[in-house]
Each structure stands twice: as C-alpha cells, then as structure tokens.
Amino acid sequence: MKYWDIFVAFFIPGILGYGGGPASIPLVENEVVDRYGWMTVQEFSEVLALGNSLPGPIATKMAGYIGYDVGGVLGAFVGVFAAVAPSLIIMILLFGILLKYKDSPKVKRLTLYVRPVIAILLGVMAWSFFQESIVGIGFWQTAVIIIVSYLLLERVKWHPAFVIIGAFVYGGFFL
Amino acid sequence: MRTHWNIFIAFFRVGMLGYGGGPGSIPLIHKEVVDKYKWMTADEFGDLLALGNTLPGPIATKLAGYIGYRVTGLWGMINAVLASIIPTIILMIVLLTSLSSIRNFDWVQGMTAAVIPVVGVMLAVLTWQFIDKAIGGMGWLQTGIMSAIVFILLQFMNVHPGIVIGALLVIALVQKDKSKRDDGSREGGTS
C-alpha cells in the first residue's frame, strides 16, 4: 500500500507536469505535503533547496529522496520509476506518430494551456513559503533575505547553489 | 561494451554538471550526443527536444532515455537514465539524512530557516517565467482570465490540480484549430 501511494504520488506529477521538471514541483508538493502528509512545508522546502543546489534533474532528485524517506531504497526506486517511466515510454513507443504531429496546433496547445496552471501552483507555493518564513523568523528577517537573494539570483546572476550556501551561513550565525 | 561505457560517461557528466534542474542540462546533452559521440544530428536532436517538450514529465530523463534507447536499445535506455539521475539522488539522500540527524542544534535550525525565503524567491521567479511564456503563447488577456479561473478552482474550491490540468488537456485537443497561424508558442518551448 505504501509503495502504491509512492507510485501514485509521483506518477501524477510525472504525467501532468508539462513544462519539464520544474513544472512538476508544485504537483509533487500537492501530493507529498497536502495529500499524503509525508512532509511539512518546511521539510519540503529543505528538499527543494538542497535539490536546487545540487546538479541534475530536479524532479527525479525529489522523487528519489522522498521515495527513500517514505519507503527506503525500494521506495526511492518506485518514486523515480513513477516519475520517469510513463512519459519516457510514450516517447519511445510513439516517437514516429508524435514527430508527425509535433507542429500541429493541437499538440502545441497541450503545453500552452497548462502553463497558467503551473504558474498559479508555483505562485501559491512561493507565497506559502514566505508566510511560513514570516511565522518562523519574523517579517523583517524574511524581507531582507527575500530582497538580498532576489538581487543576487536575478541581478548579480549568482549561481543558486552559492545563494543557498550563503543563506545557510547567514542562518547558522544570525538566526 | 564500449558503447555502453560511452553512454554511461556521457550522461553521468550531464547529470553531474547540469545545474538548474533538467532544462539546465539540455545544452550539455546536445554537446555529448551531437558534438562528441555523434549519435544523432543537430536536426534530429532539435526534433527530439521539440517532441520532449510536448510530452509531460521531466525533460532530462526523457532525452537521456530516448537517446540511450536509440543507441543500444533497452539496456542503453536504462543505462542513460540511471547515469544521469543516480549520482545526485545518492548525494541528496546522504546530505538530507545527515542534516536531519543534527537538526536539534540551534545553528542547523537557523540554517534551514534562512533557506525557506530563498526557495520562495526561486519559486516566484519560476512563476514569473511560466506566466511570461503563457503570455508569449496566447496573449496577456487570455492568460489573465485563465489564471484567475484556475486560481479560484484550486484555492477556493480545492479542486485537485490534476483534474484542472486534465480538463485543459482535453480542451486543447478537442478545440477547433483557428485558421490564423499560431506563431508565439514556439519560442517558449525549451523548458
């Protein structure tokens, strides 16, 4: 039953996450935090932070770690399989047919229509992270970290890994 | 055997150097597959990428799996997918497990508290990228209306996102094609 739950929790984001790995982040959160209650928002944000500071595809890192956390090595395997296999199998089996229709407006609309949903889910998640942080360390600390990390990431173009390490250092000394 | 070793090394390098999630590794895959090992031409890779983007799920593993399959069949596929994901998954499990065993120290709690707003900022940036691409594809009016409806469905009526996405996919497929050409949707396709 546990392994079935892990399978479902990563199969749904895998099969609905249009827009690559990042699109499946909020869908994974929906299953893992809201539906199955395997982690708190705080724990999920740690997984995401660490995932973002390590190389490699993000969706499979989350599936692997959360699967491991819930069900050990077999859980990790089930999580990764559920996230990767369905769309990979479709791709291999239907490559010829898909290639023929890749320029069809219908196929293009598939990705297009899903974008606002992913945007809303990501936005709501960002908002819940900010709220969580205000409750934990107060408004001013949160605001300063938000502004500094935004400037470093988007203006100075620091690598996310360095920004996250910077946040770890700041938090370790001052919070 | 030599080919399997090459597949492994190619996707291992991609996995270990691809910062920024799956999309960050696309240029690295291109470099290995087209330039270095010449398993496919640049055109074929372009088709593969376009197709991968129209399907759901993580993009890096779809590319790795399909390319591995094309080069040496089923085992090539398994080899390529595992090479690109296993190293960082193991790293992740080791780091997070050691983090949770020292969680009760004050400084560790400070560290994890400070990282939450940073991740919030990264998500906010991603949010903006998806909105921006949606606007590029279907204009700001349609994006705005759709976003508002989706927001109400998800936040106030607590509809599972899977149902909303599923419904939109069905609409995308059954909707009649407009006669005018739909140009804006290609440019945002690489995510």
Side-chain angles (χ1 to χ4, degrees), chain A residues 103 105 108-109, chain B residues 137 177-186:
Chain A
D103 291 320
K108 284 185 172 175
R109 277 202 300 265
Chain B
D177 299 334
K178 276 176 280 183
S179 51
K180 79 179 173 83
R181 280 177 59 229
D182 174 9
D183 280 323
S185 56
R186 196 174 168 83

Side-chain angles (χ1 to χ4, degrees), chain B residues 1 10 24 27 34 59 83 110-111 114 131-132 161 177 184:
Chain B
M1 210 54 231
V34 178
I59 182 75
M111 279 169 66
I131 291 177
D132 199 38
D177 299 334

Side-chain angles (χ1 to χ4, degrees), chain A residues 14-19 31 45-47 55-56 68 80 87 91-92 102 106 109 113 115 117 119 123 159 167-168 171, chain B residues 15-16 18-19 47-48 54 56-57 77 85 88 92 103 111-112 114 116 127 133 146 160 162 168 172-173 175 177 191:
Chain A
I15 207 72
L16 294 174
Y18 277 83
E31 301 299 321
S45 78
E46 282 164 21
V47 174
Y68 176 79
V80 170
S87 58
M91 181 118 166
I92 288 177
K102 82 175 159 50
K106 283 184 195 299
R109 277 202 300 265
Y113 282 8
R115 278 179 195 155
V117 185
H159 192 282
F168 274 148
Chain B
M16 290 307 281
Y19 276 91
D47 279 345
L48 183 63
T54 63
M77 175 187 91
I85 65 176
T88 53
M92 180 110 168
R103 184 176 296 279
M111 279 169 66
T112 54
I116 296 178
T127 306
K133 273 189 247 162
M146 267 181 73
H160 190 283
L168 284 168
L173 287 176
Q175 198 180 39
D177 299 334
S191 59

